[in-house]
Amino acid sequence: MAAIEESGGGGHGKGDGKVRGKKMSTRVDMTPMVDLGFLLITFFMLATTMSKPTSMSLAVPDKTEDQEKPTEPLKASKVLTLFMGDNDDVYYLDGIAADDDKAKTELKTTRYGHDLRTVIFASQKRINAANPKDKDGNEAFVVVIKPTEVSTYKNMVDVLDEMAITKTKRYALVDNLTDSEKEVLGDKIKPKN
Amino acid sequence: MAKVRPKKHAPHTDMTAMTDVAFLLLTFFIMTATFKSNDAEITTPTSISQIKVPDDKIMVISIDKAGKVFFGVDAQPTRAAMLDNIGQAKGITFTDAEKAKFALQSSFGLPLNQLKPWLNMPKEQMSQVKQPGIPVDSTGASELADWVYAARKADSQLRIALKGDNLSKFPAFKDVLANLQSQNINKFNLITGSEQAPAGYTND
């Protein structure tokens, strides 16, 4: 130990009144050092970022490449369309096209997180049960994600995350709305101010 | 009767062990420290993704909550080379002192024509300048695209990471995307915080 006990002899040290030569203390007071140590710890704890950020990879289709093989148009009955609205609302059309007459009444609203996940799972289950897998073994369920100009970056990451959680392999991020979609959504996607 | 004397010494705690612990922790924190960069304050959204952001050879395009775009490359030699490249492309010559100063900036968000005056400011003033962000538009041919091109010319191994703020609007992200896609960059990383996957989720 660094500290060496001063004033030798336990028993007779007290109360005998004898004057002794003062011994030099070899004890080093560590308190300021501890203070300094903790000060530095505090500084480094506050200055560091402990949790290293993670990343999700995003691959977007090549715009310049010519579309040699036009793909088969998607059947609306196999598609769940998510519109990312203002204020963390998600509007969705489940298995129905926006130009359908019933689209306006079928458009439902949900929230991110658990609610959205429930919607996706329900739709996934229903569509995959009603439609057989295609010849490549892909499931029929497709999600079309449509961000609007009032949605935030966080909303987009949340939806992409939801795709990973629900293991939806086929999804598309489409950033332009068709006229019929605009009509169905109406004021919901207009910036408020 | 013996006189009752006050105790000579205050009870003394042995601080040695505490010092040991304090410095052990200190050592740990110093060794694991990666400093927060204080250039643009961005709160990233969280995702369940487990992929770590690569440590080196990375360029980060940040979008802050107002939609301003910042650009940064990790390695200092690459930064200098990048400035050289963009200078050549745009017909601006930068002095060695400006290059050296630029190499020290972890990220910046200035239009090209404001860059030179900014680099000539004293150090203290540089950090006080409110950076307006790199001009980005949806055509895919704005200054951000030039910077990305210059950076990739400086180091072709660079990976691209996008770091957006929670509150940044989608159109800002869309414009950045257009700039990347115009150069045939179709795969990149989105930097997010980590979050616990919901119960029942299996990673396969």
Side-chain angles (χ1 to χ4, degrees):
Chain A
M1 290 297 271
I4 294 163
E5 283 300 319
E6 196 205 359
S7 80
H12 56 267
K14 223 193 260 176
D16 54 357
K18 229 182 186 178
V19 182
R20 289 185 206 175
K22 207 178 179 195
K23 273 185 199 162
M24 285 298 283
S25 169
T26 44
R27 188 198 292 263
V28 182
D29 188 7
M30 292 278 194
T31 324
M33 195 165 162
V34 177
D35 290 351
L36 181 73
F38 277 102
L39 187 83
L40 289 172
I41 288 178
T42 320
F43 170 71
F44 276 100
M45 275 174 81
L46 293 176
T48 47
T49 40
M50 278 303 280
S51 63
K52 212 169 166 284
T54 53
S55 75
M56 57 201 302
S57 55
L58 175 70
V60 289
D62 200 331
K63 262 187 183 166
T64 51
E65 204 174 283
D66 292 328
Q67 298 280 317
E68 283 171 8
K69 284 191 290 182
T71 46
E72 202 180 321
L74 281 172
K75 272 197 189 122
S77 62
K78 293 180 187 174
V79 178
L80 172 70
T81 316
L82 302 173
F83 302 98
M84 290 148 60
D86 201 1
N87 211 359
D88 290 352
D89 279 330
V90 194
Y91 309 104
Y92 65 96
L93 285 171
D94 188 359
I96 191 164
D99 50 8
D100 200 291
D101 298 334
K102 286 183 286 182
K104 261 208 166 116
T105 49
E106 284 290 309
L107 186 76
K108 294 190 198 89
T109 311
T110 186
R111 305 287 290 176
Y112 290 98
H114 184 259
D115 296 351
L116 178 61
R117 203 168 307 143
T118 319
V119 170
I120 297 172
F121 271 132
S123 172
Q124 190 177 36
K125 211 172 163 189
R126 187 181 60 78
I127 290 172
N128 281 341
N131 300 284
K133 287 187 180 182
D134 70 4
K135 58 180 186 298
D136 300 326
N138 294 322
E139 282 171 337
F141 183 59
V142 176
V143 179
V144 175
I145 306 160
K146 300 228 169 184
T148 64
E149 56 181 299
V150 290
S151 63
T152 61
Y153 174 75
K154 181 184 195 300
N155 296 157
M156 191 196 69
V157 172
D158 280 348
V159 173
L160 292 178
D161 214 24
E162 237 35 84
M163 293 298 107
I165 293 169
T166 58
K167 299 202 171 53
T168 306
K169 294 283 169 343
R170 298 211 286 171
Y171 57 88
L173 194 67
V174 185
D175 56 19
N176 49 342
L177 298 173
T178 61
D179 291 338
S180 51
E181 280 163 354
K182 277 182 194 151
E183 203 195 310
V184 168
L185 290 166
D187 286 342
K188 293 188 179 91
I189 55 160
K190 297 256 169 66
K192 290 183 190 78
N193 45 39
Chain B
M1 210 176 100
K3 232 196 216 164
V4 180
R5 273 191 254 164
K7 231 183 188 175
K8 259 185 194 160
H9 301 287
H12 202 110
T13 330
D14 187 9
M15 290 283 191
T16 322
M18 199 165 167
T19 320
D20 290 350
V21 174
F23 276 91
L24 187 81
L25 285 172
L26 182 60
T27 319
F28 170 74
F29 278 108
I30 290 179
M31 303 240 272
T32 55
T34 42
F35 284 94
K36 276 179 190 164
S37 53
N38 53 348
D39 22 64
E41 277 199 23
I42 287 167
T43 343
T44 54
T46 53
S47 80
I48 59 153
S49 172
Q50 301 288 321
I51 313 161
K52 294 280 175 220
V53 178
D55 275 326
D56 56 345
K57 291 194 180 298
I58 185 167
M59 62 170 115
V60 181
I61 300 168
S62 321
I63 307 167
D64 80 350
K65 50 177 177 281
K68 289 192 273 187
V69 175
F70 297 83
F71 186 73
V73 175
D74 68 329
Q76 294 198 2
T78 320
R79 285 180 201 156
M82 174 174 89
L83 190 69
D84 230 7
N85 288 340
I86 202 152
Q88 275 172 19
K90 299 283 166 185
I92 309 169
T93 36
F94 292 97
T95 61
D96 282 346
E98 283 165 352
K99 273 181 217 163
K101 236 174 174 179
F102 183 78
L104 295 175
Q105 307 300 320
S106 62
S107 94
F108 65 95
L110 287 159
L112 205 52
N113 54 11
Q114 290 176 30
L115 196 64
K116 217 172 155 77
W118 180 61
L119 288 173
N120 285 316
M121 280 179 194
K123 248 190 192 143
E124 309 80 56
Q125 272 185 42
M126 275 173 96
S127 55
Q128 311 226 322
V129 171
K130 260 208 146 47
Q131 304 196 6
I134 298 171
V136 176
D137 58 35
S138 54
T139 58
S142 50
E143 276 183 25
L144 180 68
D146 299 332
W147 280 110
V148 173
Y149 180 76
R152 299 227 301 168
K153 205 172 154 194
D155 184 351
S156 56
Q157 304 282 303
L158 281 179
R159 275 164 293 194
I160 296 164
L162 282 175
K163 188 175 174 186
D165 191 274
N166 273 335
L167 299 171
S168 63
K169 293 285 179 203
F170 182 76
F173 171 75
K174 193 173 133 184
D175 291 346
V176 171
L177 203 64
N179 275 280
L180 292 174
Q181 282 198 289
S182 71
Q183 298 185 59
N184 245 337
I185 301 167
N186 294 310
K187 202 169 185 308
F188 30 78
N189 292 318
L190 305 179
I191 298 182
T192 58
S194 54
E195 146 186 332
Q196 199 71 41
Y201 173 77
T202 47
N203 197 6
D204 59 18

